[in-house]
Amino acid sequence: MADREDEELQMALRMSLQSSMPEAKRSKPRESGEESVEARNRRLQRELLASAAEKRITAEKRIRAMENKSASSARPVGAREEVVGKSAAAAVGPSAAKAEVGAPQGGKVEEGERRGLDSGEELSSSDVDQLFLMVFGNGVSRDVLAQWSNQGIRFSSDPATCMGLVQHEGGPCGVLATIQAYVLKYLLFFPDELGKLEANSPLYSLVQRRFCQSPFAATDNFASITDDRKQRALVHSMVEILFLCGSGKKAVVATLGFSSHHADDGSEFDQNEMVTKALEGLSIESASDLQKVLRVKTYASWTAAFSQLMAMLPVFRSRMGAILFLISALLSRGLVCITESIQADRDDPSLPLVTAPFGHASQEIVNLLLCGRAVPNVFDGRMDLGGGMFLKGIPTNVEVGFLSLLESLNFCKVGRFLKCPKWPIWVVGSESHYTVLFALDPSVQEENELEEWESKIRRAFDAQDQSGGGGFISVEGFHQVLRETNIKMPPEKLENLCCIGYIVWSEFWQALLDLDKSMGGFKDSTGLMGKKIFDIYHFNGIAKSVLNGNIAAGGESPLQRPRLCKLSVSVPPRWTQEEYLADVVTASSSEPAGKETELELKQPSQHAPLVDCIRTRWPRAICSWVGDAPSIV
């Protein structure tokens, strides 16, 4: 019954707005000499019906909006929370271009609705002050602020690296590299889904069926990826990260509060130009500057957030894109909640998230985007320091992982959560930059029986390691490891390991290599354990000069573009004591990089700092490539 009344009211509204000749607005009465009494009565009746319909529809919109805030996840795919302009609808797709249920065709659209994509709530000055201080701290330089307010989220125009996000300014690489890792997840492992699904249908409920049904490897034909798929992959990535930060309950989207009147059927170029012009003269030098233009919206529906972000892509492609996405992630996590907030995640909340003096993204920012928590450390779980004090690490498994050059230098220990993510994609951290490493075949992460057994023993050992990744445990902790792994160590070996009062992993490992498999060790005379051989790719989004013959005739400057490097990786077996000792010598050698052991010289190999990062994931990996060495700076 209610639906029929709605239809009658909407029909009355449309009738009131249709006529064979233009009618004046209701606020302007007709001249009495031109209208009969009967015509006047009919007109008044139509206007009363139209007015009633408008009021009822407006009221129902408000009721639906309030209901959507608490139960928006139950809305059908394609439903929209607000009316958007035609150009935004074109960007989102036909199914998302529909106006709200009950909106009249050809009826009056309020200014706030027509500008819906640009409207949003202002943050209070105190919230913005807290946000600005948390990110940049006191005394931040203009150069750092300029770096963060002049970096958009844009794909490279170079065909060879068109699947990658390009970086022109230093500083925001931690944000861009992490988004890039998620983008690769969708482009490489969900290509068919990106092409088949409606633009506003999220992929998050998809089961990783490829692992269950059949082997799957992605293609390296990156130039064939369409712009539409790249945009969808980017927005899926942004939505997934924001809801990860919001514990799966919400996503806060930060945008700019300038007015934008989308032209009908406006092209992507027109929208980008519109946003660029709106940002002319905008300078972010203080919290008050940010507060004037920052607007935020909160979404409980993944679909609604996807639609909004897809329509707002021109803003995120603009020079403010990187900082707006960082703010979105921070607000999605929360500023003030005692149990779930940025500051509650951190070990030292007094330090800024953007590090001085060069303005790099801290590990806390990268971890926030990887696991939804702004923890400062990269080990698994948390470390008990005693006296009720803890250091916070990665709490759970992650979609894409992280490797660090600092681990190869023994400054930290990256845990298995980050080393072994669900997808073979890793953000790579150096002292000053973040890049991305990825494989096309998920099987590079698979372990055979012996590798799984080593991983289980190492996890049990690390769980007892209270040295901050130093690689040694107490005698009591060692006995716990033996019980958990059911290793039957002979008494003489056990006494030898425990005689100094603590157990070092390298000595324990050597003992396991001499211990027969039947007793839980790794002594295997069959030699069934073979080496791994696979390809892996490294992407550096910073636009640099590419050397290999790119200097054009006539002395022109070399091409400035991101770098994509393909590496061939060979991982030899490590199941004899001699090979393990060779590995230890290589890892601890103070000789110049590139001087390998005699064992490794048997195969062609090349060295670069990235190889040291790869070896933290695959010990003793031998790498080679064609052309310039991959750069992680």
Side-chain angles (χ1 to χ4, degrees), residues 34-108:
E34 297 181 359
E35 186 177 34
S36 67
V37 174
E38 184 179 5
R40 178 174 177 273
N41 289 337
R42 286 199 302 270
R43 176 176 59 79
L44 290 175
Q45 185 179 13
R46 289 199 306 270
E47 291 182 351
L48 287 173
L49 286 172
S51 178
E54 284 186 328
K55 290 180 180 179
R56 176 162 179 170
I57 291 169
T58 301
E60 288 182 348
K61 286 181 182 179
R62 293 174 180 171
I63 292 173
R64 290 189 185 107
M66 294 176 64
E67 291 174 347
N68 288 339
K69 289 183 180 180
S70 59
S72 58
S73 59
R75 296 180 63 179
V77 173
R80 295 294 303 274
E81 292 190 359
E82 58 201 34
V83 177
V84 298
K86 291 184 178 179
S87 60
V92 177
S95 64
K98 299 177 182 178
E100 286 187 86
V101 175
Q105 296 181 1
K108 180 180 179 181

Side-chain angles (χ1 to χ4, degrees), residues 85-245:
K86 291 184 178 179
S87 60
V92 177
S95 64
K98 299 177 182 178
E100 286 187 86
V101 175
Q105 296 181 1
K108 180 180 179 181
V109 181
E110 297 295 333
E111 179 68 12
E113 291 178 323
R114 185 166 61 84
R115 290 172 46 202
L117 292 177
D118 304 305
S119 61
E121 297 181 3
E122 292 186 16
L123 289 179
S124 66
S125 57
S126 60
D127 283 343
V128 177
D129 287 342
Q130 181 184 1
L131 178 67
F132 194 87
L133 183 64
M134 180 192 303
V135 176
F136 295 111
N138 289 313
V140 59
S141 68
R142 288 187 176 183
D143 289 341
V144 170
L145 290 174
Q147 288 175 357
W148 281 88
S149 57
N150 285 281
Q151 178 61 62
I153 305 175
R154 288 175 172 265
F155 283 99
S156 169
S157 59
D158 170 46
T161 57
C162 64
M163 80 315 158
L165 301 176
V166 62
Q167 179 184 353
H168 295 287
E169 296 287 339
C173 55
V175 173
L176 293 179
T178 310
I179 298 174
Q180 177 71 71
Y182 280 90
V183 167
L184 287 168
K185 163 190 161 181
Y186 286 106
L187 289 178
L188 297 177
F189 302 111
F190 293 99
D192 295 335
E193 287 81 357
L194 283 175
K196 292 177 182 177
L197 294 179
E198 294 293 336
N200 62 337
S201 299
L203 299 175
Y204 315 109
S205 61
L206 289 177
V207 178
Q208 296 178 8
R209 56 184 178 276
R210 295 194 179 97
F211 289 142
C212 303
Q213 295 180 357
S214 62
F216 174 85
T219 176
D220 61 355
N221 186 14
F222 305 125
S224 67
I225 302 175
T226 65
D227 290 342
D228 178 65
R229 291 192 179 192
K230 287 188 289 185
Q231 289 185 4
R232 294 186 186 191
L234 173 58
V235 177
H236 280 304
S237 301
M238 294 167 73
V239 174
E240 181 175 4
I241 293 172
L242 294 183
F243 270 97
L244 182 66
C245 296

Side-chain angles (χ1 to χ4, degrees), residues 98 221 445 472 610:
K98 299 177 182 178
N221 186 14
Q445 298 230 84
F472 59 89
L610 176 63

Side-chain angles (χ1 to χ4, degrees), residues 342-349 367 374-383 390-395:
I342 299 299
Q343 299 296 59
D345 291 337
R346 308 174 68 194
D347 288 340
D348 187 354
N367 286 348
V375 293
N377 303 297
V378 291
F379 51 73
D380 294 343
R382 63 179 187 174
M383 186 178 297
F390 298 89
L391 294 178
K392 300 164 188 172
I394 306 300

Side-chain angles (χ1 to χ4, degrees), residues 229-443:
R229 291 192 179 192
K230 287 188 289 185
Q231 289 185 4
R232 294 186 186 191
L234 173 58
V235 177
H236 280 304
S237 301
M238 294 167 73
V239 174
E240 181 175 4
I241 293 172
L242 294 183
F243 270 97
L244 182 66
C245 296
S247 301
K249 302 173 183 177
K250 67 175 182 178
V252 179
V253 177
T255 185
L256 301 173
F258 58 78
S259 173
S260 74
H261 300 275
H262 297 285
D264 289 350
D265 301 323
S267 67
E268 179 180 309
F269 175 79
D270 293 335
Q271 295 177 30
N272 291 337
E273 284 295 302
M274 175 196 67
V275 174
T276 300
K277 289 181 179 180
L279 291 176
E280 288 180 358
L282 175 63
S283 177
I284 305 297
E285 298 183 358
S286 65
S288 60
D289 291 336
L290 185 61
Q291 199 265 342
K292 291 175 184 177
V293 297
L294 187 65
R295 301 293 182 270
V296 298
K297 283 188 176 183
T298 302
Y299 297 91
S301 164
W302 298 60
T303 301
F306 183 97
S307 298
Q308 178 73 355
L309 279 168
M310 182 67 86
M312 291 303 301
L313 269 183
V315 175
F316 285 95
R317 280 193 292 256
S318 77
R319 64 180 178 87
M320 291 289 291
I323 183 64
L324 286 175
F325 186 76
L326 174 60
I327 292 173
S328 298
L330 296 174
L331 294 177
S332 296
R333 181 62 183 146
L335 297 180
V336 295
C337 178
I338 296 176
T339 57
E340 289 194 354
S341 69
I342 299 299
Q343 299 296 59
D345 291 337
R346 308 174 68 194
D347 288 340
D348 187 354
S350 65
L351 298 176
L353 291 169
V354 171
T355 60
F358 302 112
H360 299 137
S362 65
Q363 189 66 49
E364 292 160 307
I365 289 178
V366 175
N367 286 348
L368 173 66
L369 304 184
L370 288 175
C371 74
R373 303 292 181 269
V375 293
N377 303 297
V378 291
F379 51 73
D380 294 343
R382 63 179 187 174
M383 186 178 297
D384 188 352
L385 300 180
M389 297 181 63
F390 298 89
L391 294 178
K392 300 164 188 172
I394 306 300
T396 185
N397 290 313
V398 294
E399 293 288 310
V400 296
F402 179 79
L403 300 176
S404 176
L405 179 65
L406 298 180
E407 181 176 9
S408 69
L409 301 173
N410 294 319
F411 286 117
C412 69
K413 175 68 177 177
V414 180
R416 282 190 60 84
F417 286 156
L418 290 178
K419 278 186 181 176
C420 304
K422 294 180 182 178
W423 303 95
I425 306 169
W426 297 264
V427 176
V428 177
S430 67
E431 303 97 324
S432 59
H433 190 45
Y434 294 97
T435 54
V436 180
L437 186 74
F438 63 97
L440 304 180
D441 190 347
S443 66

